[in-house]
Amino acid sequence: MVKTITEVGERLVPGDCRSMADVRQGVDALDRALVELLTERQGYMDAAARIKADRSKVFDRARIEDVVDKVKAAARASGLSEAIAEPVWRTLIDRCIAYEYDSWDRTKG
């Protein structure tokens, strides 16, 4: 198993920001790190499409709810508003499922 570490660019912690430039630098650094993480997540969608023998297995309602429940628990534990976390992840999951269908079709369709 490989452990990866995503670097986040230099930034102030939110409580130390004194200007909108400070805020924007922090947000931009986090956005770049999130893109890297989402790219890796997308790779797992490619792997799932490769592994699943049947296209009908791409959509899995129970798995969706399991992921959302885990994200909401992680959000609560870390102080992220569930009002942000849940809709963001539901959209992410929806787009990842669409991507996985496309990936499945490219490789097996």
Side-chain angles (χ1 to χ4, degrees), residues 11-27:
R11 70 212 182 279
L12 295 172
V13 295
D16 290 345
C17 291
R18 297 290 174 244
S19 69
M20 284 308 301
D22 293 341
V23 169
R24 290 178 180 134
Q25 181 181 4
V27 169

Side-chain angles (χ1 to χ4, degrees), residues 10-65:
E10 190 172 318
R11 70 212 182 279
L12 295 172
V13 295
D16 290 345
C17 291
R18 297 290 174 244
S19 69
M20 284 308 301
D22 293 341
V23 169
R24 290 178 180 134
Q25 181 181 4
V27 169
D28 291 349
L30 291 170
D31 285 346
R32 287 188 297 274
L34 287 168
V35 167
E36 287 183 33
L37 290 169
L38 290 171
T39 301
E40 184 173 350
R41 193 181 201 284
Q42 178 180 284
Y44 287 107
M45 299 306 97
D46 288 323
R50 176 177 43 80
I51 291 166
K52 292 176 183 174
D54 188 335
R55 190 178 192 273
S56 68
K57 302 294 184 193
V58 171
F59 184 86
D60 181 345
R61 172 63 61 198
R63 173 65 178 150
I64 292 167
E65 295 310 315

Side-chain angles (χ1 to χ4, degrees), residues 85-101:
E86 184 172 2
V88 167
W89 257 267
R90 287 196 183 276
T91 300
L92 175 61
I93 291 166
D94 178 66
R95 299 317 313 146
C96 285
I97 289 169
Y99 178 86
E100 187 180 332
Y101 276 124

